[in-house]
């Protein structure tokens, strides 16, 4: 009997130990990744030495998680370098176009404070001090340069049309555009709405938007008026969202995912064309790795925003991914567990053997430019970045079940197939968004 009790205790200890290891995402792949790779260390570059080719017009900076401090800080780090060294003139965020028009007004010297502006963005994940720091720097930079050197803040997403509606209505009020039918568009700002849109509703919204756009353009004094340009684009973005909303996720989820990335790529092209007229014609994007990458992260999509841009612009689009070896991310808790909106910190390991090498760097991060790594100069490293590697990919939501199913937050793909270069971190910490 005593022997059975002893065996039982040992088994219990083993079960607890395994549970703890699973709880921090530590499995055999993580252990195998934890060794020094001299080839990677010798070829690593400092992030401050980031060197983007001169022919690039769009730099897409990804983030392996939405809710980690280091990735949100990298937005400012990289954009600051691109502005000061390469003359880039626009920062473009994975957020609704209308959302970011308010942020742009602030960086141009408008009223308010940065923290208030970011806390009004539709995505709670951006309600952070890191995003406020980015806006403050852009505002301070603009205050120090001439009008033709000022930089702008855009959103290229299209999922939250209510902010575009509010911007459009404000423009109409300020410019005396009255008497227009808006009962269809009002749907987006009706807090009491309960029914889904019908095909007739969509038709009505689009007719109203076209009528408003005609009035806006008819009253415009010149085709370079940014207020007019932004107002008409806000209207177009609402129309795009309407089409997106009508795709049934349950029956056509791939089409739903694809539609968003294609629409975001179209918005990026629109921003680039505008910046070629009013700025340097060089822009930076900031979004999740899955949108920035040159191909989708999984079979649930057939295209990615980065893939669309790479096909259209070739080498003029530079995809810069990120990854980490271990750390925390702040994410929304799966609604399957709780019907209420909640956020919490999750700790994950990615089992990325390349990211582990950041442990040996002075600032625990480094940069690799895949385009400059050849099989002749470093066959070992070339083969590594062109082979399937475990990498992290955590979006806005997460679940404790991820600790049991590592594939829920990891992908196994060749880094060079996804990105033109990557920034790696040894460890990351969770953001503290207000919501």
């Amino acid at each position: 009997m005593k022997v059975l009790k002893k065996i039982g205790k040992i088994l219990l200890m083993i079960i607890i130990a395994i549970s703890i290891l699973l709880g921090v995402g530590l499995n055999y792949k993580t252990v195998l990744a934890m060794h020094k790779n001299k080839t990677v260390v010798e070829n690593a570059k400092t992030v401050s030495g980031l060197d983007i080719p001169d022919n690039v017009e769009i730099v897409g900076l990804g983030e392996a998680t939405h809710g980690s401090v280091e990735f949100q800080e990298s937005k400012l780090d990289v954009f600051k370098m691109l502005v000061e060294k390469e003359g880039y003139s626009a920062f473009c965020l994975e957020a609704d176009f209308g959302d970011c028009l308010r942020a742009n007004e602030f960086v141009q010297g408008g009223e308010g404070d940065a923290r208030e502006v970011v806390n009004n963005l539709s995505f709670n994940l951006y309600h952070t001090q890191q995003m406020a720091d980015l806006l403050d720097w852009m505002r301070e930079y603009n205050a120090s340069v001439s009008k033709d050197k000022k930089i702008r803040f855009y959103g290229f997403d299209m999922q939250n049309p209510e902010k575009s509606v509010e911007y459009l209505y404000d423009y109409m009020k300020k410019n005396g555009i009255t008497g227009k039918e808006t009962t269809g568009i009002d749907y987006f700002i009706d807090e009491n709405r309960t029914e889904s849109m019908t095909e007739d509703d969509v038709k009505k919204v689009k007719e109203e938007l076209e009528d408003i756009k005609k009035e806006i353009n008819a009253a415009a004094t010149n085709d370079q008026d940014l207020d007019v340009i932004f107002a008409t684009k806000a209207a177009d973005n609402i129309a795009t969202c309407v089409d997106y909303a009508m795709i049934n996720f349950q029956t056509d989820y791939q089409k739903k995912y694809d539609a968003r990335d294609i629409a975001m790529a179209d918005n990026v092209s629109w921003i680039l064309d505008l910046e070629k007229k009013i700025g340097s014609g060089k822009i930076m994007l900031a979004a999740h790795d899955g949108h920035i990458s040159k191909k989708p992260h999984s079979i649930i999509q057939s295209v990615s925003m980065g893939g669309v841009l790479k096909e259209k612009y070739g080498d003029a689009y530079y995809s810069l991914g990120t990854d980490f070896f271990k750390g925390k991310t702040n994410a929304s808790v799966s609604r399957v567990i709780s019907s209420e909106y909640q956020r919490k910190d999750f700790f994950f390991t990615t089992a990325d053997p390349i990211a582990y090498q950041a442990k040996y760097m002075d600032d625990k991060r480094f940069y690799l430019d895949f385009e400059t790594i050849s099989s002749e100069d470093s066959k070992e490293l070339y083969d590594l970045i062109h082979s399937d590697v475990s990498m992290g990919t955590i979006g806005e939501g997460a679940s404790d079940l991820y600790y049991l199913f590592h594939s829920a937050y990891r992908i196994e793909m060749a880094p060079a197939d996804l990105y033109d270069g990557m920034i790696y971190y040894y460890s990351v910490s969770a953001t503290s968004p207000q919501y």
Side-chain angles (χ1 to χ4, degrees):
M1 194 69 176
K2 290 182 178 180
V3 175
L4 290 176
K5 285 184 177 181
K6 186 175 288 187
I7 293 174
K9 287 182 179 179
I10 293 173
L11 289 174
L12 180 60
M13 291 175 65
I14 292 173
I15 292 172
I16 292 173
I18 292 174
S19 297
I20 292 173
L21 291 177
L22 288 173
V24 299
L26 186 60
N27 64 355
Y28 75 96
K29 288 186 177 180
T30 305
V31 175
L32 291 176
M34 296 170 64
H35 66 274
K36 187 172 184 178
N37 185 316
K38 292 184 178 179
T39 303
V40 174
V41 173
E42 290 170 357
N43 285 272
K45 300 179 181 178
T46 62
V47 175
S48 60
L50 183 69
D51 186 19
I52 301 298
D54 293 337
N55 65 303
V56 171
E57 297 177 343
I58 308 171
V59 171
L61 175 65
E63 53 189 10
T65 82
H66 276 315
S68 297
V69 169
E70 288 73 13
F71 296 136
Q72 290 208 1
E73 288 179 338
S74 70
K75 294 177 175 60
L76 175 55
D77 291 344
V78 174
F79 186 56
K80 186 176 181 180
M81 283 188 283
L82 292 176
V83 170
E84 295 179 341
K85 295 181 180 180
E86 307 294 338
Y88 280 59
S89 58
F91 177 90
C92 313
L93 184 66
E94 182 192 340
D96 191 82
F97 181 79
D99 255 357
C100 295
L101 288 175
R102 300 300 187 191
N104 184 60
E105 289 177 355
F106 174 77
V107 301
Q108 303 307 320
E111 297 180 355
D113 63 78
R115 194 60 201 250
E116 177 190 2
V117 173
V118 298
N119 284 357
N120 281 322
L121 291 173
S122 296
F123 291 158
N124 292 330
L125 61 99
Y126 295 134
H127 298 185
T128 64
Q129 188 57 48
Q130 292 75 38
M131 291 303 300
D133 291 342
L134 170 64
L135 292 191
D136 276 332
W137 180 82
M138 292 181 68
R139 181 185 175 95
E140 290 169 6
Y141 179 86
N142 280 342
S144 68
V145 298
S146 58
K147 184 178 180 179
D148 62 313
K149 298 294 183 181
K150 291 185 183 298
I151 54 181
R152 283 159 290 280
F153 190 105
Y154 296 93
F156 55 82
D157 207 345
M158 33 55 74
Q159 294 185 102
N160 304 93
E162 62 275 4
K163 294 299 179 70
S164 287
V165 171
E166 291 172 4
Y167 184 90
L168 190 60
Y169 285 180
D170 284 349
Y171 178 89
M172 293 167 64
K173 182 178 180 180
K174 291 176 183 177
N175 291 274
I177 299 176
T178 59
K180 294 297 173 183
E181 180 66 48
T182 62
T183 54
I185 305 174
D186 287 342
Y187 171 87
F188 299 107
I189 55 176
D190 181 4
E191 296 180 355
N192 298 316
R193 68 177 186 263
T194 56
E195 298 181 358
S196 300
M197 297 190 78
T198 65
E199 292 291 346
D200 288 340
D201 293 331
V202 171
K203 182 179 179 182
K204 182 174 179 58
V205 168
K206 289 187 175 182
E207 288 175 350
E208 291 175 359
L209 290 170
E210 286 301 315
D211 188 38
I212 291 171
K213 282 169 58 181
K214 287 180 182 179
E215 186 76 15
I216 291 173
N217 290 316
T221 57
N222 64 79
D223 59 3
Q224 296 295 313
D225 188 330
L226 287 182
D227 288 338
V228 172
I229 293 172
F230 290 159
T232 53
K233 180 58 180 175
D236 288 338
N237 220 48
I238 297 167
T240 300
C241 183
V242 168
D243 289 333
Y244 171 76
M246 293 303 292
I247 303 173
N248 189 315
F249 179 80
Q250 301 299 326
T251 60
D252 215 343
Y253 63 88
Q254 187 178 78
K255 183 179 180 181
K256 188 85 168 182
Y257 280 119
D258 289 352
R260 182 186 174 206
D261 274 60
I262 292 170
M264 290 195 296
D266 288 343
N267 279 343
V268 169
S269 292
W270 181 90
I271 293 168
L272 180 64
D273 289 343
L274 177 61
E275 283 299 314
K276 285 183 176 181
K277 296 177 181 178
I278 65 174
S280 66
K282 291 190 173 187
I283 65 177
M284 177 184 134
L285 317 179
H288 191 271
D289 275 344
H291 299 305
I292 293 298
S293 58
K294 296 181 287 185
K295 60 194 301 187
H297 279 188
S298 72
I299 60 173
I300 64 173
Q301 284 185 254
S302 65
V303 298
S304 65
M305 179 187 73
V308 174
L309 295 175
K310 178 62 76 171
E311 182 176 354
K312 182 174 183 177
Y313 296 103
D315 291 340
Y317 174 67
Y318 189 91
S319 176
L320 183 60
T322 60
D323 201 15
F324 67 106
F325 183 72
K326 65 176 184 177
K328 293 182 177 181
T329 181
N330 181 274
S332 62
V333 179
S334 172
R335 295 293 183 93
V336 175
I337 299 174
S338 172
S339 60
E340 296 182 2
Y341 180 81
Q342 300 178 34
R343 301 188 71 89
K344 62 177 279 187
D345 295 348
F346 295 86
F347 180 90
F348 295 118
T349 61
T350 64
D352 186 338
I354 304 177
Y356 183 76
Q357 308 314 308
K359 177 180 179 179
Y360 304 103
M361 309 301 167
D362 290 339
D363 58 356
K364 306 303 180 187
R365 65 175 183 169
F366 68 94
Y367 158 66
L368 286 179
D369 182 1
F370 299 153
E371 300 298 291
T372 61
I373 298 172
S374 67
S375 58
E376 290 80 12
D377 295 333
S378 181
K379 187 177 186 308
E380 181 182 347
L381 181 56
Y382 180 87
D383 289 345
L384 178 59
I385 64 174
H386 286 85
S387 302
D388 286 352
V389 172
S390 178
M391 292 177 281
T393 178
I394 301 122
E396 160 61 353
S399 166
D400 289 329
L401 292 175
Y402 285 14
Y403 296 134
L404 297 175
F405 304 101
H406 301 289
S407 60
Y409 69 92
R410 296 178 185 173
I411 56 172
E412 296 271 352
M413 301 183 76
D417 287 347
L418 297 177
Y419 313 106
D420 297 308
M422 287 188 74
I423 298 175
Y424 293 95
Y425 294 80
Y426 177 61
S427 63
V428 294
S429 53
T431 56
S432 300
Q434 297 180 358
Y435 66 96

